[in-house]
């Protein structure tokens, strides 16, 4: 498994990956550290909001910060991202509004951002389906003569889905510029990765003719390097690549899950010692680049984002009732028109006695 920063914060020599991050200086490393601290703070705040009844659900990303930050920072804005439901840190770093991200999990909107504005698809709930979308998009890039790429995020559990394997067949056959980025967080809900993968997941891709790398997913520098490697292959016509980022889901699968029912009592402590943020902090402190003032600045930025998230969530207006029919089809549709009419008349039955129309209904 490739690694550039050990769990204790010391640098590790890796001749294959090191050239891809030779330009990353201490200031850039500090920025990566700040990114990770910020998205963890966002995650903690969102989890608290769900527990307080402000969100319907939340999928924690605690422990997977290095995988999300390192991979995103290797991409260009023109590259199209196809996420799962857990890449909310990627969405934030891509530029999506925090309140917008929360709107999906509050049940106020179907998506938290404009896919065309941020070149990032809406969160995919169906496990593995986004790999098909990313591969098809990448095949289109080839036909259009573009030099950009697509990336599909997926979990270890998704690699047991047929969609993923079909995607890799097509990607290899047509040499599509797509990156399959697997965050192996060791648990597919309550199923351990060892039950469905008796060998490293990265070993599956070469069977399809797709080169792969297995990296320490808690090492932001290694993840950055591996994603740059895959991106360089895609942009130069080298076709698809597969990255297995070995990380750990320190939180629950979602806030509807209780991981204490299936995880060993010592497992969390063992992986806590490999914390992705702690190792970068140790490295920066060892180099004299993270003093009290710098750390306070990082914390202030993270807390400001958390405050913005909380304010945007709590003060989010409810959607107009009839907006549920918006953006279902790109053109008018008779069946949808009939459903809209039925729902409008149903809502009218709850109208005030003075006959005032409900907000958002048609005249």
């Amino acid at each position: 498994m490739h690694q550039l920063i050990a769990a204790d914060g010391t640098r590790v020599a890796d001749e294959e990956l090191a050239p891809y991050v030779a330009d990353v200086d201490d200031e850039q490393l500090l920025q990566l550290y700040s990114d990770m601290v910020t998205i963890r703070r966002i995650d903690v705040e969102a989890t608290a909001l769900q527990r307080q009844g402000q969100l319907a659900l939340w999928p924690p990303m605690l422990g997977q910060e290095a995988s999300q930050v390192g991979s995103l920072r290797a991409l260009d804005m023109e590259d199209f991202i196809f996420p799962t439901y857990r890449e909310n840190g990627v969405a934030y770093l891509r530029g999506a509004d925090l309140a917008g991200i929360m709107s999906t999990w509050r049940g106020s909107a179907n998506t938290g951002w404009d896919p065309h504005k941020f070149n990032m698809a809406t969160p995919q709930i169906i496990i593995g389906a986004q790999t098909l979308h990313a591969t098809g998009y990448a095949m289109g890039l080839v036909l259009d003569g573009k030099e950009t790429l697509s990336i599909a995020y997926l979990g270890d559990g998704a690699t047991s889905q047929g969609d993923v394997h079909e995607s890799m067949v097509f990607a290899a056959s047509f040499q599509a510029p797509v990156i399959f980025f697997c965050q192996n967080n060791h648990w597919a809900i309550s199923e351990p990765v060892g039950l469905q993968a008796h060998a490293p997941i990265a070993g599956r891709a070469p069977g399809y003719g797709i080169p792969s790398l297995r990296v320490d997913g808690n090492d932001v520098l290694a993840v950055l390097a591996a994603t740059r490697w895959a991106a360089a292959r895609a942009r130069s016509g080298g076709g698809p690549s597969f990255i297995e980022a070995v990380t750990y889901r320190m939180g629950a699968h979602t806030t509807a899950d209780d991981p204490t029912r299936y995880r060993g009592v010592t497992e969390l402590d063992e992986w806590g010692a490999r914390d992705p943020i702690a190792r970068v902090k140790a490295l920066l402190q060892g180099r004299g680049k993270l003093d009290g003032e710098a750390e306070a600045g990082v914390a202030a930025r993270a807390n400001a984002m958390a405050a913005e998230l909380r304010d945007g969530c709590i003060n989010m207006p409810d959607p107009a009732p009839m907006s549920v029919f918006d953006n279902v089809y790109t053109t008018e549709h008779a069946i949808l028109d009939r459903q809209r009419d039925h729902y409008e008349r149903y809502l009218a039955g709850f109208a005030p006695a003075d006959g005032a129309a409900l907000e958002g209904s048609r005249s």
Side-chain angles (χ1 to χ4, degrees):
M1 184 169 66
H2 293 278
Q3 187 182 66
L4 290 171
I5 306 175
D8 62 0
T10 57
R11 278 300 303 267
V12 177
D14 187 302
E15 294 182 358
E16 187 172 353
L17 287 188
Y20 290 97
V21 288
D23 63 311
V24 178
D25 58 21
D26 288 340
E27 289 303 314
Q28 290 170 301
L29 192 61
L30 180 60
Q31 183 59 53
L32 294 172
Y33 171 75
S34 180
D35 287 341
M36 289 193 292
V37 170
T38 299
I39 67 171
R40 177 170 292 188
R41 183 67 184 85
I42 288 170
D43 182 66
V44 169
E45 192 69 24
T47 299
L49 284 166
Q50 193 282 328
R51 298 308 191 201
Q52 294 161 11
Q54 296 296 332
L55 297 178
L57 188 73
W58 178 252
M61 54 188 164
L62 185 67
Q64 298 182 220
E65 296 86 0
S67 292
Q68 295 201 18
V69 171
S71 57
L72 184 278
R73 291 306 187 196
L75 303 175
D76 292 338
M77 192 62 194
E78 293 75 21
D79 300 328
F80 210 101
I81 300 170
F82 292 86
T84 73
Y85 43 80
R86 204 179 300 280
E87 277 70 55
N88 293 295
V90 172
Y92 162 72
L93 295 172
R94 192 67 155 185
D97 175 67
L98 285 170
I101 296 173
M102 292 301 107
S103 67
T104 302
W105 303 104
R106 190 175 171 87
S108 299
N110 291 324
T111 183
W113 57 82
D114 181 347
H116 303 289
K117 180 179 179 181
F118 298 107
N119 284 336
M120 182 170 180
T122 56
Q124 179 57 257
I125 300 298
I126 300 174
I127 305 300
Q130 69 279 5
T131 60
L132 292 171
H133 308 155
T135 299
Y137 187 91
M139 291 167 64
L141 291 174
V142 174
L143 294 174
D144 290 344
K146 303 289 187 180
E147 294 184 357
T148 54
L149 59 87
S150 67
I151 181 171
Y153 286 88
L154 62 149
D156 49 286
T159 61
S160 292
Q161 294 287 341
D163 286 0
V164 175
H165 297 273
E166 292 162 10
S167 300
M168 289 197 284
V169 169
F170 271 83
S173 298
F174 294 93
Q175 287 296 282
V178 56
I179 301 171
F180 297 101
F181 189 86
C182 175
Q183 294 179 84
N184 177 359
N185 66 17
H186 284 74
W187 288 98
I189 307 183
S190 58
E191 180 180 290
V193 66
L195 184 62
Q196 61 181 339
H198 292 268
I201 293 173
R204 296 179 179 181
Y208 296 100
I210 300 175
S212 67
L213 282 179
R214 190 171 194 254
V215 301
D216 183 344
N218 284 5
D219 175 354
V220 69
L221 207 55
V223 173
L224 175 66
T227 313
R228 283 181 171 182
W229 161 81
R233 291 193 69 257
R235 299 189 207 288
S236 62
S241 304
F242 188 101
I243 297 170
E244 179 191 358
V246 182
T247 181
Y248 187 76
R249 192 194 78 212
M250 296 179 72
H253 177 72
T254 70
T255 47
D257 171 44
D258 178 9
T260 63
R261 299 184 65 179
Y262 53 81
R263 282 205 301 225
V265 293
T266 64
E267 190 174 319
L268 191 59
D269 291 337
E270 292 169 2
W271 278 95
R274 308 174 199 176
D275 186 279
I277 295 177
R279 68 177 67 187
V280 179
K281 179 179 180 179
L283 176 60
L284 288 168
Q285 288 178 331
R287 292 180 173 180
K289 300 297 181 181
L290 188 63
D291 57 17
E293 182 179 356
E295 193 163 2
V298 170
R301 175 199 175 197
N303 288 331
M305 293 301 99
E308 180 182 326
L309 180 152
R310 173 169 285 275
D311 180 70
C313 179
I314 292 176
N315 295 306
M316 188 180 301
D318 292 333
M322 296 304 295
S323 67
V324 70
F325 296 99
D326 294 346
N327 303 311
V328 177
Y329 292 99
T330 56
T331 57
E332 290 297 312
H333 193 283
I335 294 177
L336 189 68
D337 286 343
R338 185 168 66 250
Q339 291 176 345
R340 183 188 289 113
D341 178 66
H342 289 174
Y343 190 52
E344 186 176 36
R345 286 189 282 114
Y346 168 76
L347 291 176
F350 299 93
D354 61 4
L358 289 175
E359 181 187 357
S361 64
R362 299 186 302 172
S363 59

